[in-house]
Amino acid sequence: MLGRAQGYPRPGTLGTPSGSSAGSCRVTVATLRAPGTPRRTRRRRHRRDRRGEPRCWSPESTGTGTDRHRHRHPNRRPSVTRMLSTSQPSPERVPSPEEQEWAGPEALCPGWLEDEAPDGEVPGHSGDPDSATHAYEQLQSALCQEGLPPTLDCSAEPRTGFGLLDMTVCILGSPIPFLPVLLEGGTRCPGAMVLCLSPAWASRVPSETSPGAWSLLLSQGVSFKAGGHSALETFVPPRRANYVTGTFAPGDPEGGWVGELARDLDCPTGGSAPLAHRLEDTLVARWVLAARGDLPVPPTLAFVLSARGDLPAEPAAPGVRLVRLEDPQGQQSLVQEEVGAFLGGTAMEPYSQVVVRPAGWRWRGTGTRSTHRKEEGAAVVQAVSARLRGLTEEDSVLLEATVPTARLPVPPPRSPAPRLPMALRICTLVCRSWGDRPQLCQVACAVGRAESPVRHGAALPQGLDSSLQQWGVAAPGQRQALARRLREAAEAAMGALLATEAELSSQQRGGTRARTDILGVDFLLACVDEALELVALGTNSQRCLETCALAEAMGRGVGEPRGELPRLLAEAVLHRAQCHLVEGKDILLIGAGGVSKSFVWEAARDYGLRIHLVESDPEHFAAGLVQTFLPYDSREHRRDEEHAERVLELLRSRGLRPHACLSYWDDCVVLAALVCQGLGLRGAPPAAVRVAKQKSRTHRHLQRCRRGRPPPAAFAVPCRRLQSHGDVERAAGAVPFPAVAKLEFGAGGVGVRLVENAGQCHAHAARLWRDLRDDADHPGIGLGWGNAMLLMEYVPGTEHDVDLVVFEGRLLGAWVSDNGPTRVPAFLETAACLPSCLPADRQAQLVRAALECCRACGLRDGVFNVELKLGPAGPRLLEINPRMGGFYLRDWIREVYGPDLLLAAVLVALGVPPVLPARPAARTHLAGVMCLASEHGESLAGGGGMEALRELHGRGLVRLNRLFEEPEGAGEYEEPLLSVACAGATLAEACERLLGLCQGLGIDSPRYPVEHFLSHFK
Ligand SMILES: Nc1ncnc2c1ncn2[C@@H]1O[C@H](COP(=O)(O)OP(=O)(O)O)[C@@H](O)[C@H]1O
Ligand SMILES: [Mg+2]
């Protein structure tokens, strides 16, 4: 492994004295510009050089109609300039069409060209209207390149009416790096993505919600719609941003005003100037990568001023040694000693070359460096000392090994031509995805000559696989393994960075809400001990984004399908904006639920929801966890209409006007629908919820739904209602045996029984009607609606849950999980897994059937849990639960896929369509078993099993989801106590772990054969 040496041996003398080596230093100090010395960026130089005058021209001064866009949109130009430029008339002539053509490629990729250019210039184009016009031109050119229509000028008619529930993702600064995100986001959430090209388009006002913070208001912007259409708009009154990011990178011409506008905002902010500075500081980045991410980095010796405060006092980072200097002038001997120890140390053994360079965000991309052979100790000391003379508190001087790219034998046929030493740089882009998990979005490689670093923008990007193949990694398996390791390394890098950022003060972060959401990490492919090793070079906020976006765009030139990059990034920022949208919203919750819903209170706090809770139990533990507790006994559900009136009165008397109303508690779904209707809020209509809540009604209703291909009737199952023993014979005539007898309004599988004939049905009904009469006999299983039963044909096949998010009848998300065999004759759930092991087409059948059943019942807005069985002839419905999936489902879906059902339910109830992954990708596999008090009570409680499980849960080794604190129901009415699950990279691995655990804890037994339960998951 590289760079793992903690310290270096300290020979008393310098490595190899080499007096003559000073002359080999390729860059002389005198030619270098000190950071901060103002100099125009290369782009601006280009712009002037090419034409001898600035390209910016004021449309007021143009009337010749040479602008192609203006031809098409005669109205656009004048008002664009009203906004973009000041009244200063531009003296420039109108460029000829040829010149405009010339402007194309350069305008497309300013950052690309500029990557290594700015020479430490401090960003300072703040508010320059010239740069805003230029940015607008860049945007038009880029849209044109994409084959998209130019931006439509709609600014004459101000857009009004943006309110509390409108999403606004604001991208500040140059249009290019984020263009793919703007286009994708515009299609996903039309109008939500707004590009702000000028500081004059936005203003900061003190936040009403977060004292000390600011709200960003947009009065103008380019908003993006479906299909790549964009419009220049004015917003009256100004529109409030829910999420802000932009081009913060030092050296970016817009960096100054972008950083200023995005500072200390009250909404989530993707990055900030201070965070970008940290990312661009090689020393800070390497420290994070090595110390926190456990990634190999090039051996690095860093000198900083002792006063520098943004680094840990004692950074124990493998491969990075930090030396603090009181007085860089007077510490020649210390420098000599450190340099000597570094050059002669074990970490340097594999390397022959070193680089001396200043580091810090101001030095980003300056290319300032000198290269030395390891033996030239004196020259290295001299170079370091020279650099130290200009050292400031924000910078460092780095001495680092030049890590050569691994050289592998290139497979035949080999050209006889000499092979030039080449280097491969691997650029990765990682985003902070659902649940703050790092997710690799894209990889792009660049190849260059080995003598100097391969820079972003110096070569066209290429794919990882073909690069590795070109490099001689012939075996596909080896290339896949490297790709996997790269993913792990890049995601570990972001994990490390996020952990470090979380420890910074809000001032250091540039705002309480500022987090790095999009991160670039560069790697080298090195050879260490004859093995290929990924060595992390550094991080950046923008360059990898630009490189990866270019790679993605290039792919389309050869007919490659759109990659994941724009989708993942757009989903990440839109999701963040939605999280901000729900903050501070008043949510009326009907029914608190039991311990299985304990997660709700924590989630509500994290999302910043103001919960007003209507709950039948006046002593409920959640009373103290909510904004308003409204005890109200609604257990007699046959009077839900009356309850709804009372609840509405209660709200009126308290002056409460909730933004949304919902319930995730089975018993309260009808009441919630009635209250929703009374308040005029979004939700499923009460009639629809009633149909779903009553099992026989659901099926009878579906049987009548004969339109559609196939009609929803195809998913229904024959069943008959049983209100008395007299109904049994009639039902037995209509429903074939074996059949299932169960409670009409039941929940939790209580009272469900397989019956082989009418006699068994009579017997079961008699017992049930005797034991379960009202809610007090078994709370929470729907007995408040009575204990009517139904007889239903037994459906063969495998059992599945489909959890759906539906908005205006449109499917926004669906997750399929599998259930193991149930324990007959009762139907106790034994095991489950997520993701489903079904092939995609069978999952699609289940999802479509679930959706059609919901829609046919009138459930068009909400989060629903549909239980189905999949037989040889396709899916059949068991029941629809018109609420989010219970027990472990919310936890598992979040863990495996990222999205939160609870948040989705809140968003739908607010009237906002939740943004969910368009292509859900499982991050892990979960397999779980249910534990029963009757079977496992003793081993769990007495045998210390529960303690062990809690401990393993705390360490993230198992997922524990409790349904009850105490055993619930007894004998044939028993419900599971808890679910224990294990994760694995594959389902087989998850099952193997779980089985081992169950055997170890005594959950597995001949009476409770876990291996058999899990054997269904294949
Ligand atoms: N018609 C049926 N055919 C086969 N199994 C059934 C049938 N009805 C119910 N079950 C089994 O019983 C379990 C509980 O039934 P369900 O209708 O979902 O009641 P609950 O609302 O109590 O969950 C189901 O998950 C399934 O395993
Ligand atoms: Mg069920």
Side-chain angles (χ1 to χ4, degrees):
M1 290 289 275
L2 243 192
R4 288 299 147 100
Q6 270 287 349
Y8 309 107
R10 291 165 170 270
T13 58
L14 280 181
T16 317
S18 160
S20 61
S21 62
S24 71
C25 177
R26 288 194 211 143
V27 184
T28 56
V29 178
T31 61
L32 290 163
R33 204 176 299 265
T37 313
R39 201 187 86 178
R40 286 214 167 263
T41 65
R42 186 176 293 167
R43 190 184 75 198
R44 290 183 68 81
R45 250 195 344 263
H46 273 313
R47 287 170 59 204
R48 284 167 195 273
D49 289 348
R50 228 173 247 169
R51 272 163 232 112
E53 56 185 82
R55 180 147 46 85
C56 163
W57 28 275
S58 162
E60 272 95 338
S61 67
T62 65
T64 61
T66 49
D67 179 0
R68 285 169 292 136
H69 300 321
R70 196 168 347 129
H71 266 311
R72 269 179 258 162
H73 293 280
N75 286 336
R76 182 179 62 87
R77 173 64 59 182
S79 80
V80 170
T81 28
R82 262 205 319 275
M83 295 179 200
L84 292 176
S85 70
T86 56
S87 54
Q88 256 185 337
S90 168
E92 273 79 61
R93 67 184 172 82
V94 179
S96 68
E98 295 77 50
E99 282 172 317
Q100 287 177 47
E101 287 308 323
W102 257 111
E106 180 194 297
L108 257 181
C109 319
W112 187 253
L113 289 178
E114 212 169 53
D115 177 29
E116 313 293 349
D119 235 12
E121 184 181 30
V122 180
H125 293 266
S126 46
D128 179 3
D130 155 16
S131 93
T133 311
H134 177 67
Y136 194 84
E137 285 303 314
Q138 282 185 332
L139 174 65
Q140 300 318 307
S141 173
L143 289 172
C144 174
Q145 281 282 324
E146 292 273 330
L148 295 169
T151 303
L152 211 66
D153 182 5
C154 305
S155 57
E157 262 177 71
R159 295 277 314 272
T160 56
F162 284 98
L164 275 181
L165 294 173
D166 285 296
M167 252 211 297
T168 302
V169 170
C170 173
I171 310 274
L172 301 166
S174 49
I176 305 307
F178 286 96
L179 187 62
V181 185
L182 289 161
L183 293 171
E184 172 72 16
T187 294
R188 292 293 291 275
C189 295
M193 310 291 295
V194 184
L195 175 64
C196 172
L197 297 174
S198 163
W201 294 9
S203 56
R204 289 158 58 85
V205 296
S207 169
E208 286 164 15
T209 49
S210 321
W214 301 80
S215 291
L216 189 70
L217 300 181
L218 287 171
S219 51
Q220 279 141 11
V222 178
S223 66
F224 289 76
K225 329 269 161 170
H229 292 271
S230 55
L232 182 67
E233 294 179 324
T234 50
F235 309 114
V236 181
R239 195 174 160 176
R240 189 177 299 262
N242 295 121
Y243 178 87
V244 176
T245 189
T247 46
F248 298 109
D252 193 282
E254 282 78 27
W257 66 263
V258 169
E260 202 40 47
L261 278 184
R263 193 173 43 81
D264 293 323
L265 295 181
D266 60 357
C267 68
T269 313
S272 66
L275 289 178
H277 290 170
R278 285 178 63 85
L279 294 182
E280 307 288 345
D281 185 327
T282 310
L283 173 58
V284 176
R286 290 226 175 125
W287 177 77
V288 171
L289 294 168
R292 308 292 292 261
D294 205 20
L295 295 170
V297 298
T300 306
L301 173 64
F303 294 94
V304 297
L305 290 184
S306 61
R308 181 162 171 168
D310 61 341
L311 288 162
E314 201 48 64
V320 184
R321 179 166 171 81
L322 187 71
V323 179
R324 289 178 179 272
L325 300 173
E326 293 297 335
D327 168 17
Q329 308 286 320
Q331 299 192 18
Q332 189 66 14
S333 60
L334 175 60
V335 171
Q336 263 190 16
E337 193 183 314
E338 288 289 348
V339 170
F342 178 80
L343 295 177
T346 47
M348 272 304 295
E349 264 166 28
Y351 307 107
S352 57
Q353 260 200 349
V354 288
V355 163
V356 176
R357 60 172 173 135
W361 63 270
R362 288 160 192 271
W363 293 98
R364 178 204 96 120
T366 58
T368 310
R369 62 180 62 233
S370 60
T371 311
H372 311 266
R373 281 187 291 120
K374 187 164 67 168
E375 300 76 44
E376 300 167 345
V380 174
V381 171
Q382 202 178 12
V384 170
S385 304
R387 279 277 142 236
L388 286 176
R389 282 196 275 279
L391 187 65
T392 72
E393 261 180 48
E394 292 197 354
D395 307 326
S396 59
V397 174
L398 300 187
L399 169 60
E400 62 182 8
T402 305
V403 177
T405 301
R407 287 199 78 178
L408 298 169
V410 171
R414 271 184 63 182
S415 145
R419 266 174 85 198
L420 293 171
M422 301 299 280
L424 172 72
R425 174 148 126 179
I426 306 171
C427 140
T428 61
L429 192 75
V430 198
C431 79
R432 187 157 69 97
S433 178
W434 310 92
D436 286 352
R437 300 257 203 111
Q439 177 160 17
L440 179 69
C441 301
Q442 182 144 349
V443 179
C445 297
V447 176
R449 293 285 297 271
E451 304 90 79
S452 54
V454 186
R455 301 185 155 168
H456 278 273
L460 286 172
Q462 57 190 58
L464 177 67
D465 199 65
S466 76
S467 301
L468 292 176
Q469 204 165 1
Q470 173 191 352
W471 227 255
V473 188
Q478 225 180 346
R479 293 200 298 275
Q480 280 159 13
L482 274 169
R484 252 195 321 275
R485 271 183 37 210
L486 182 66
R487 170 181 289 275
E488 283 161 12
E491 291 179 352
M494 184 154 207
L497 181 91
L498 292 176
T500 317
E501 276 185 14
E503 292 163 9
L504 298 177
S505 70
S506 59
Q507 195 190 359
Q508 286 171 314
R509 282 210 299 273
T512 332
R513 309 298 302 268
R515 303 287 299 272
T516 296
D517 286 340
I518 298 173
L519 171 73
V521 193
D522 283 312
F523 292 90
L524 277 180
L525 184 67
C527 184
V528 181
D529 297 336
E530 297 185 10
L532 290 176
E533 176 84 276
L534 292 162
V535 176
L537 283 180
T539 56
N540 62 72
S541 64
Q542 212 166 299
R543 273 171 292 163
C544 286
L545 175 62
E546 289 171 5
T547 302
C548 287
L550 177 63
E552 152 96 20
M554 280 162 52
R556 260 168 295 132
V558 291
E560 289 275 311
R562 272 182 191 278
E564 296 285 88
L565 173 87
R567 185 181 67 74
L568 291 171
L569 297 185
E571 283 174 357
V573 300
L574 288 166
H575 167 63
R576 295 258 126 69
Q578 294 204 316
C579 287
H580 185 244
L581 207 71
V582 303
E583 268 175 47
K585 294 292 179 290
D586 291 288
I587 312 294
L588 182 68
L589 209 56
I590 313 284
V595 285
S596 66
K597 305 295 179 200
S598 299
F599 65 84
V600 169
W601 318 113
E602 200 179 314
R605 194 197 54 210
D606 292 349
Y607 289 127
L609 305 177
R610 291 161 52 92
I611 301 283
H612 310 282
L613 174 65
V614 177
E615 163 60 39
S616 297
D617 175 6
E619 307 285 310
H620 197 282
F621 68 88
L625 303 171
V626 295
Q627 201 72 25
T628 322
F629 184 62
L630 304 163
Y632 177 82
D633 189 350
S634 67
R635 285 173 299 174
E636 174 48 67
H637 295 299
R638 280 171 286 216
R639 286 170 32 213
D640 271 343
E641 235 105 23
E642 203 184 310
H643 298 322
E645 282 309 315
R646 296 286 97 75
V647 170
L648 291 170
E649 272 165 32
L650 213 57
L651 295 178
R652 273 194 293 273
S653 70
R654 299 279 195 121
L656 290 173
R657 298 181 64 188
H659 297 103
C661 166
L662 70 130
S663 181
Y664 45 74
W665 194 239
D666 219 88
D667 259 13
C668 299
V669 289
V670 174
L671 177 56
L674 289 164
V675 174
C676 241
Q677 190 183 49
L679 292 170
L681 293 170
R682 186 179 292 258
V689 177
R690 280 189 194 282
V691 168
K693 184 65 214 131
Q694 189 175 349
K695 294 174 209 276
S696 73
R697 248 181 103 181
T698 314
H699 287 271
R700 302 289 292 243
H701 174 81
L702 290 176
Q703 268 147 12
R704 288 194 295 271
C705 297
R706 303 210 156 266
R707 255 188 282 173
R709 306 184 64 183
F715 313 120
V717 178
C719 57
R720 284 289 180 276
R721 202 163 181 209
L722 308 175
Q723 279 177 299
S724 66
H725 285 283
D727 295 333
V728 171
E729 295 307 324
R730 236 171 301 141
V735 177
F737 288 97
V740 174
K742 56 185 181 181
L743 283 166
E744 267 283 57
F745 300 91
V750 177
V752 187
R753 195 169 187 89
L754 186 72
V755 290
E756 303 284 354
N757 49 48
Q760 287 185 3
C761 186
H762 275 297
H764 178 56
R767 265 197 316 277
L768 201 144
W769 284 330
R770 181 196 64 205
D771 299 337
L772 305 177
R773 270 175 295 209
D774 57 32
D775 194 68
D777 290 332
H778 200 128
I781 59 156
L783 292 169
W785 279 284
N787 61 1
M789 296 178 68
L790 76 155
L791 188 68
M792 182 179 179
E793 184 181 313
Y794 174 80
V795 184
T798 54
E799 187 167 340
H800 307 271
D801 275 44
V802 180
D803 287 278
L804 302 167
V805 179
V806 187
F807 189 85
E808 290 175 348
R810 206 157 38 96
L811 181 70
L812 297 185
W815 298 272
V816 180
S817 53
D818 298 352
N819 291 347
T822 43
R823 295 225 298 174
V824 282
F827 284 90
L828 262 174
E829 185 176 352
T830 56
C833 74
L834 184 75
S836 163
C837 359
L838 291 174
D841 59 330
R842 306 306 310 274
Q843 291 191 42
Q845 287 184 320
L846 288 167
V847 170
R848 179 50 69 103
L851 176 68
E852 291 308 329
C853 290
C854 285
R855 283 204 290 220
C857 292
L859 299 170
R860 298 172 54 82
D861 285 288
V863 173
F864 308 119
N865 168 257
V866 183
E867 296 180 346
L868 306 111
K869 289 192 90 169
L870 186 65
R876 293 287 177 275
L877 178 73
L878 290 183
E879 63 157 346
I880 299 176
N881 294 309
R883 50 157 173 86
M884 101 183 158
F887 208 176
Y888 49 81
L889 282 167
R890 181 257 183 184
D891 176 52
W892 282 23
I893 289 169
R894 228 160 64 104
E895 177 66 12
V896 173
Y897 293 101
D900 183 356
L901 286 182
L902 180 68
L903 178 67
V906 169
L907 283 163
V908 174
L910 283 167
V912 178
V915 172
L916 296 165
R919 225 169 298 155
R923 297 190 287 210
T924 184
H925 291 259
L926 287 177
V929 290
M930 316 309 135
C931 292
L932 308 177
S934 58
E935 289 293 336
H936 310 113
E938 221 163 275
S939 56
L940 289 184
M946 203 56 221
E947 241 154 77
L949 282 176
R950 274 208 203 94
E951 201 254 333
L952 291 169
H953 176 80
R955 287 164 54 200
L957 296 172
V958 306
R959 299 198 82 75
L960 207 56
N961 279 282
R962 312 206 63 177
L963 200 52
F964 297 105
E965 205 74 78
E966 300 290 324
E968 201 72 17
E972 66 175 303
Y973 308 120
E974 181 175 16
E975 288 181 74
L977 197 57
L978 53 92
S979 139
V980 184
C982 287
T986 61
L987 180 60
E989 193 183 296
C991 286
E992 200 180 316
R993 277 196 195 137
L994 182 63
L995 182 61
L997 180 82
C998 291
Q999 286 166 344
L1001 293 179
I1003 295 169
D1004 176 61
S1005 73
R1007 280 155 46 91
Y1008 203 77
V1010 172
E1011 190 166 10
H1012 165 69
F1013 300 152
L1014 298 178
S1015 68
H1016 280 58
F1017 304 144
K1018 283 202 185 86

